[in-house]
Amino acid sequence: FGRVESKDSIYWDGLAECYHRGIVKNVGVCNYGPTLVEKCHEALAKRGVPLASNQIAFSLIGRQNGSQETVDKCNELGVKCLAYYPFAMGLLTGKYSREIWGKAKDVSINESLTTQKKTSLELLDLQRYAQGDGITVPEGGIAPLLNVMLVIAEKREKTLAQVALNYIISKGVIPIPGCRTSAQLEDNLGAMGWRLTSEEIAMLEFEADKLPNFDGAGFKRTNEKFVGYGIEKWVLD
């Protein structure tokens, strides 16, 4: 394997040129780790261009492998961090945990998600994470975390999805939740206007830290990897 020579500076110069020509109003990047986002921020600043955002996979169970460090660095630099996979592909809504699904408030909000088409590889990964296999994921899977989320949700009269989104917001990150119905849109909006307490966040993280990091399910169709400290691309020589 050979590592491809970085062309980051050329890319950043191009972004700065687009900004100064008025082709774009803001400049954002995707999947930059803390080291690379700082380098990009510095390079653009020399050209008088602010780095507006950095989009990464981030959720209650997706904070490892450099993700939390990236959020901290973005907050330090004044770069808005955007989170995709805020629900961990549905795991944090309880849709893959039948016992939790039956207890959750407003189950009808997420009904369309249960029929969402996923590949067999994705479903296999999601079920393994939800139920646990005793090897890569502890027995019981995500259920202990969902039970804590459910306690908080019932106390605050919120849904599991709203708790998952509010956790991200409480970390200074902007979640990018999907929605396929107006009910889901309204549910997503219910994550705004309130904040989890530091005690509630600690409860959630205590259970979440017992699980492996979630950064997606199924076959990853990419030759680039988010390694926490930047992007590495590999090719066969």
Side-chain angles (χ1 to χ4, degrees):
F1 289 90
R3 188 172 178 177
V4 175
E5 183 181 355
S6 172
K7 295 182 174 62
D8 291 330
S9 60
I10 298 173
Y11 174 61
W12 298 335
D13 284 342
L15 290 176
E17 187 69 19
C18 289
Y19 180 86
H20 286 304
R21 290 190 180 192
I23 297 174
V24 298
K25 292 184 177 180
N26 295 288
V27 172
V29 293
C30 183
N31 289 339
Y32 275 24
T35 301
L36 195 55
V37 77
E38 185 168 28
K39 289 181 179 178
C40 178
H41 181 270
E42 181 181 352
L44 291 176
K46 290 178 180 178
R47 297 285 302 271
V49 179
L51 179 59
S53 65
N54 180 27
Q55 181 177 314
I56 64 170
F58 186 79
S59 70
L60 180 54
I61 56 175
R63 299 176 290 111
Q64 302 171 30
N65 295 344
S67 293
Q68 183 60 61
E69 290 84 352
T70 300
V71 169
D72 294 340
K73 179 58 67 174
C74 285
N75 288 338
E76 175 190 326
L77 296 173
V79 177
K80 287 296 181 181
C81 199
L82 311 180
Y84 61 86
Y85 289 157
F87 299 133
M89 295 182 72
L91 286 168
L92 293 173
T93 67
K95 62 177 284 190
Y96 295 104
S97 306
R98 292 184 179 181
E99 293 182 3
I100 302 297
W101 184 256
K103 298 177 185 176
K105 176 187 176 185
D106 294 337
V107 171
S108 60
I109 289 174
N110 295 313
E111 280 180 350
S112 72
L113 292 177
T114 61
T115 59
Q116 183 177 357
K117 293 182 179 179
K118 284 187 170 61
T119 67
S120 57
L121 282 175
E122 287 175 330
L123 289 173
L124 187 64
D125 277 353
L126 292 169
Q127 290 294 346
R128 176 177 56 81
Y129 205 107
Q131 307 301 326
D133 59 8
I135 303 174
T136 58
V137 182
E139 291 289 350
I142 199 173
L145 172 59
L146 291 177
N147 280 321
V148 173
M149 293 177 66
L150 190 59
V151 169
I152 295 173
E154 290 178 342
K155 177 183 177 182
R156 289 182 167 273
E157 297 186 345
K158 299 294 181 180
T159 65
L160 290 177
Q162 289 168 349
V163 172
L165 290 179
N166 194 268
Y167 173 82
I168 294 174
I169 296 170
S170 296
K171 289 292 182 176
V173 181
I174 301 173
I176 312 173
C179 60
R180 300 171 65 191
T181 68
S182 58
Q184 289 168 7
L185 173 59
E186 291 179 8
D187 189 61
N188 289 343
L189 292 174
M192 302 173 66
W194 60 284
R195 286 292 184 278
L196 291 164
T197 65
S198 57
E199 291 79 11
E200 289 170 332
I201 290 174
M203 290 169 58
L204 293 170
E205 292 182 344
F206 178 77
E207 290 298 335
D209 287 344
K210 298 176 183 178
L211 298 165
N213 192 67
F214 180 86
D215 59 0
F219 182 69
K220 312 292 193 304
R221 300 178 182 84
T222 180
N223 63 340
E224 295 183 345
K225 180 184 179 185
F226 174 58
V227 294
Y229 296 91
I231 293 290
E232 288 185 355
K233 185 184 290 187
W234 304 88
V235 296
L236 283 171
D237 248 347

